[in-house]
Amino acid sequence: MLYEKIHIIDNELDAVADIRVEDGLIAQITLHPECEPAADAPVLLPAFTDLHAHFRDPGLTYKEDLESGSRAAVRGGYSVVNLMPNTLPVCSSLEQAREVEARANRINLVRANQIVSMTLNEMGQECSHLLDIPAGAIPFVSDDGKGVNRDDVMEEIFRICKEKNFLIMAHEEDARYSPADLRMAENAMTFRDLQLCEKTGGSIHFCHVSTIEAIQAIAEAKRKGLRVSCEITPHHIFYNAEQARHYRVAPPFRNDEDIQALIAALQDGTADAIATDHAPHTPEDKANGANGISGIETAFALCYTRLVRGGHLTLSQLVQLMSTKPSEMMRIPKGRFQEGLWADFVLVDIAHPYVIRAEEFASRGKNTPFEGVEVYGRVLQTVKGGEVVYQA
């Protein structure tokens, strides 16, 4: 594969370049500083890495399966996805994780990492199954969809994960407060887990942070030197609670003050990544109150439109949040234009608007509050390991 005199942007580079690919890796990059990119030409970026997605496979494949999820991911410009364990059965062992990854790899569209639950079967009661997984064998554990309410169990998870070099990905929701106050539910568990992180010397990644109080507490923890990171979703910075008043997500849409705090966290580095929390559902499940958005196909366009065209971030900063940093967190060699890294690219049209239409989604889940919204940032092509896996 050879791209000639194409406009490339990553977390550091913004240039016209030739890119040669051999054996799935970036073999050579030749910059052309004398060339100015055309104003309306497509831009080549490192393909995105999603820290947080639900492909519903096994057990809930009427909502999504590995093939439809993979097709949705590449349509959104993603070449790597991190899959949450709240399937049927819950993924609570290394063997289960490897089986899902093997099936995803046979589809050969995206690279998939299957997360293992941090409590057995996501019941929140015990975590001894983590002792059976060799140190360093998996990058993450999570009970996403649920918070771990028992303090003693969560403290033990911190201690095991510190010893095993697993990163906790925490869904912060204290179920005692959920029926009455979802803001308190997120904040209370965030504050507790920051205390446990400091007590144990462990590390934690906060999923889909949505409140000003939680993001400020995480910022303070970082200033103190705690080993914490966090992600923000595209939907939590695009719509407020009034704009999405009839749409259920967990955590819920918040107010403008929260959105401003989340954007500030993306600007100053408090937030480490943008993750989709892609959560496909059937129309019947959404009508019955299921939380979630099919977000992996609209993530870049929503973020580019809101953050870059909105004047909050540069495109290089957005690449850092959607590709460079999440790839580093997953310990994989991608996310930048650098010789020797995986040749995973996404070609995007940032010059011309388009309208989001759920009927065009590759995902089985057509659930989105962004139907009919005009955005910029259409994905034209996705490349994984030097092979084109999506072409508009």
Side-chain angles (χ1 to χ4, degrees), residues 348-390:
V348 295
D349 176 2
I350 58 175
H352 305 99
Y354 76 99
V355 175
I356 294 173
R357 299 294 184 200
E359 65 182 14
E360 299 174 358
F361 286 1
S363 172
R364 289 187 176 181
K366 313 300 182 186
N367 49 302
T368 177
F370 304 114
E371 174 72 25
V373 173
E374 184 178 86
V375 290
Y376 289 78
R378 184 191 292 274
V379 172
L380 302 177
Q381 182 187 77
T382 304
V383 173
K384 177 179 73 74
E387 300 292 331
V388 175
V389 289
Y390 171 74

Side-chain angles (χ1 to χ4, degrees), residues 258-322:
D258 298 304
I259 293 173
Q260 291 165 7
L262 297 180
I263 292 175
L266 292 168
Q267 292 171 317
D268 67 20
T270 299
D272 299 88
I274 291 172
T276 71
D277 195 8
H278 173 69
H281 292 291
T282 64
E284 294 77 17
D285 286 341
K286 284 301 291 182
N288 290 328
N291 290 305
I293 288 171
S294 287
I296 205 164
E297 294 172 74
T298 58
F300 175 74
L302 292 174
C303 291
Y304 180 79
T305 302
R306 181 75 169 93
L307 298 172
V308 180
R309 289 185 64 88
H312 302 290
L313 297 177
T314 66
L315 183 49
S316 288
Q317 289 172 313
L318 185 57
V319 169
Q320 169 78 11
L321 291 159
M322 295 187 71

